[in-house]
């Protein structure tokens, strides 16, 4: 009898967990749309501050991919990605008050590595990451100490200004060459959760990340709703 009760309890628990996961995944279109709105707002606001301060940066990873491939934030992208040389870090950190005035908080201890410059939207906690690089001969070495993040210096030696999401954004001059380095020759093919050369693609991992990020996204949606309710601002 005790064994039957234990087995039944496990079965009920698994059923409840499965139902919860199904609900969380069903929320993907809602979470994606809300996060995309927040990131569409963050790109121009953050880049205007960086541009006004003369920060030498470039758009990178999924944000650059979205700019080139879709002319927008990729649906399902989790954050905004920029990069800069390590020499720009003190100048970026000096902009903490400028970011705060626009509703963003700045830290230089972002991510699991605690080495990323991260600019949080205080309303939703979605963020802009700035990855830093150190010149080393023909290469730019990632401060994250991951060889998969390193970039041939020639690919970003020349950067140009482009119009994107209502603001001026700096990108590598030869965007296709840079994206080929990051994502391979099939970079024009959309794959949810694709990290390119930095990590082999896995559909299962993408689904697991959606479960995690949708849970956080639901909290972000509630935070944003509370902000709108209490401030009357959009």
């Amino acid at each position: 009898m005790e064994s039957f009760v234990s087995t039944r309890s496990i079965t009920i628990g698994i059923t409840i967990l499965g139902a919860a996961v199904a609900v969380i995944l069903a929320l993907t279109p809602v979470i994606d749309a809300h996060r995309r709105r927040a990131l569409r707002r963050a790109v121009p606001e953050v880049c205007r501050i960086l541009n006004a301060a003369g920060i030498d940066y470039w758009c990178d990873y999924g944000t650059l991919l979205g700019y080139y491939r879709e002319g927008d934030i990729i649906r399902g992208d989790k954050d905004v990605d920029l990069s800069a040389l390590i020499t720009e870090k003190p100048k970026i950190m000096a902009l903490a008050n400028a970011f705060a005035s626009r509703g963003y908080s700045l830290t230089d201890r972002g991510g699991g590595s605690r080495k990323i410059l991260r600019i949080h939207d205080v309303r939703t906690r979605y963020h802009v990451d700035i990855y830093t690089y150190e010149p080393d001969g023909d290469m730019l070495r990632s401060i994250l100490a991951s060889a998969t993040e390193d970039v041939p210096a020639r690919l970003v030696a020349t950067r140009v200004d482009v119009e994107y999401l209502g603001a001026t954004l700096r990108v590598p001059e030869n965007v296709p060459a840079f994206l080929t380095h990051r994502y391979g020759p099939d970079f024009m093919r959309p794959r949810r959760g694709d990290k390119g050369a930095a990590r082999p693609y896995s559909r299962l991992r993408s689904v697991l990340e959606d479960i995690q990020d949708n849970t956080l996204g639901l909290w972000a949606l509630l935070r944003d709703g509370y902000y709108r309710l209490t401030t009357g601002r959009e």
Side-chain angles (χ1 to χ4, degrees):
M1 181 64 177
E2 182 178 338
S3 176
F4 171 76
V5 172
S6 177
T7 301
R8 186 168 182 271
S9 298
I10 292 173
T11 301
I12 292 173
I14 292 174
T15 301
I16 293 173
L17 178 61
V21 168
V23 169
I24 290 171
L25 287 175
L27 289 172
T28 297
V30 175
I31 300 300
D32 279 358
H34 178 251
R35 182 174 53 235
R36 201 182 201 190
R37 285 195 299 271
L39 299 183
R40 281 171 172 164
R41 183 175 65 242
V43 168
E45 290 186 339
V46 167
C47 288
R48 285 187 189 111
I49 292 172
L50 296 177
N51 293 342
I55 304 299
D56 190 10
Y57 69 93
W58 65 90
C59 183
D60 210 331
Y61 295 104
T63 306
L64 183 64
L65 188 60
Y67 155 75
Y68 185 80
R69 192 176 69 195
E70 302 177 26
D72 201 349
I73 298 293
I74 293 174
R75 188 178 300 277
D77 209 355
K78 307 302 192 293
D79 57 15
V80 173
D81 301 310
L82 306 176
S83 291
L85 297 180
I86 190 62
T87 50
E88 299 296 295
K89 179 179 176 179
K91 292 187 283 186
I92 295 171
M93 295 306 297
L95 297 173
N97 288 339
F99 287 123
S101 70
R102 300 297 301 169
Y104 295 88
S105 63
L106 171 66
T107 178
D108 62 352
R109 299 181 63 78
S113 67
R114 311 282 288 175
K115 295 179 181 179
I116 299 172
L117 305 184
R118 179 162 288 180
I119 305 162
H120 277 113
D121 178 352
V122 298
R123 289 170 52 171
T124 64
R125 301 304 290 173
Y126 290 128
H127 56 267
V128 176
D129 280 340
I130 303 179
Y131 296 88
T132 49
Y133 289 83
E134 188 167 23
D136 179 18
D138 294 335
M139 297 295 293
L140 299 181
R141 303 294 180 189
S142 170
I143 299 303
L144 296 180
S146 171
T148 59
E149 310 286 341
D150 293 347
V151 181
R154 61 180 173 77
L155 291 179
V156 292
T158 303
R159 297 179 280 282
V160 297
D161 292 338
V162 297
E163 294 303 309
Y164 181 52
L165 297 177
T168 300
L169 186 71
R170 188 160 298 161
V171 303
E173 183 178 42
N174 190 339
V175 175
F178 190 85
L179 289 175
T180 298
H181 172 78
R182 285 292 196 210
Y183 293 94
D186 294 332
F187 68 84
M188 290 298 288
R189 177 179 136 200
R191 294 195 302 184
R192 189 176 179 90
D194 188 7
K195 300 295 183 183
R199 190 183 71 186
Y201 178 74
S202 167
R203 175 59 182 159
L204 175 59
R205 183 190 291 115
S206 177
V207 172
L208 293 175
E209 288 178 346
D210 277 343
I211 294 170
Q212 169 187 282
D213 292 320
N214 284 4
T215 303
L216 297 174
L218 182 59
W219 176 238
L221 190 61
L222 294 172
R223 283 176 61 101
D224 198 15
Y226 178 76
Y227 175 89
R228 293 165 185 258
L229 183 65
T230 56
T231 66
R233 298 177 184 175
E234 289 298 320

